[in-house]
Amino acid sequence: MKFSKTLICAALLGLGAQAQAAQYLGANGTGVSATDFSSPGLLGFDLDFVQRSQVSLSFAIEAQDLAPGALSFNALVRNLSGLGFEGVSLRLEGARFALPAGSLGTDGFQAVSQSGYGADRLWAKFSDPGVTTEFYIGNPLGTAAASNWTLDLSGQQVGDTFRITVAVPEPGTYALMLAGLAAVGFVARRRKPA
């Protein structure tokens, strides 16, 4: 009897120590609620925006997250405001996107008209009038045509933290962002040797 109790305790401890995605530490923002849906090897969350704002989600790195390609990422962003959202942007701090790039999409009421990404950010602009109700970063619904992003945590150690900030900016912010990206592209192209 003592042996079976020991086995049961060991099994329960093993279940508690199973591999998981980076540990969710919480969210900071107003006008939005966050729900963590992370599972082993997948960092996933839903965000429900009731106004244009931003939210930062913090995560602690686990040992299994440090293997190359070990941490897939997706998110579902909902517009519960009744306002037309023109787009969404995401910024990483302490992590980077690994190639290949993942998918960006919407629920189909409005399409993604423009999008872009870099090592630590991505953004999407919706077609006018921007009344989409759901935006998908990666493949949160498990559809065949979409793929998750992968996070690169190179240079990080177990216990380090990283942050993901998702924002639904005011409409004028996108015009400034697009102008800035165009300027960076122009300078980069001019600097290339012939």
Side-chain angles (χ1 to χ4, degrees):
M1 184 70 162
K2 185 175 182 179
F3 179 71
S4 62
K5 284 184 182 179
T6 304
L7 282 176
I8 291 170
C9 288
L12 290 175
L13 285 173
L15 287 174
Q18 281 184 340
Q20 62 180 29
Q23 181 184 7
Y24 176 62
L25 301 176
N28 183 11
T30 59
V32 60
S33 64
T35 306
D36 180 44
F37 287 104
S38 298
S39 60
L42 174 67
L43 183 69
F45 53 83
D46 287 4
L47 300 175
D48 296 325
F49 282 86
V50 294
Q51 66 185 41
R52 287 184 174 96
S53 63
Q54 75 175 24
V55 60
S56 292
L57 297 93
S58 297
F59 299 89
I61 297 172
E62 306 273 326
Q64 60 275 7
D65 302 328
L66 296 175
L71 193 56
S72 290
F73 163 67
N74 68 46
L76 186 147
V77 180
R78 290 186 190 96
N79 175 2
L80 302 180
S81 70
L83 303 171
F85 285 179
E86 287 73 19
V88 67
S89 67
L90 181 142
R91 186 178 72 244
L92 298 174
E93 295 175 49
R96 300 169 61 89
F97 288 117
L99 294 176
S103 302
L104 297 173
T106 68
D107 54 11
F109 290 107
Q110 294 294 324
V112 174
S113 60
Q114 298 174 348
S115 65
Y117 70 94
D120 63 350
R121 65 190 68 236
L122 63 81
W123 61 272
K125 187 173 183 338
F126 309 137
S127 58
D128 292 328
V131 293
T132 193
T133 55
E134 287 186 356
F135 175 71
Y136 311 121
I137 301 168
N139 190 11
L141 302 180
T143 60
S147 59
N148 286 328
W149 295 78
T150 302
L151 298 182
D152 177 5
L153 300 172
S154 298
Q156 303 291 348
Q157 297 179 14
V158 173
D160 286 351
T161 61
F162 65 95
R163 186 173 26 213
I164 300 174
T165 301
V166 180
V168 178
E170 294 294 329
T173 305
Y174 282 100
L176 289 173
M177 183 172 47
L178 289 172
L181 286 172
V184 168
F186 177 74
V187 169
R189 190 164 55 186
R190 286 186 52 108
R191 288 188 177 175
K192 278 188 175 178

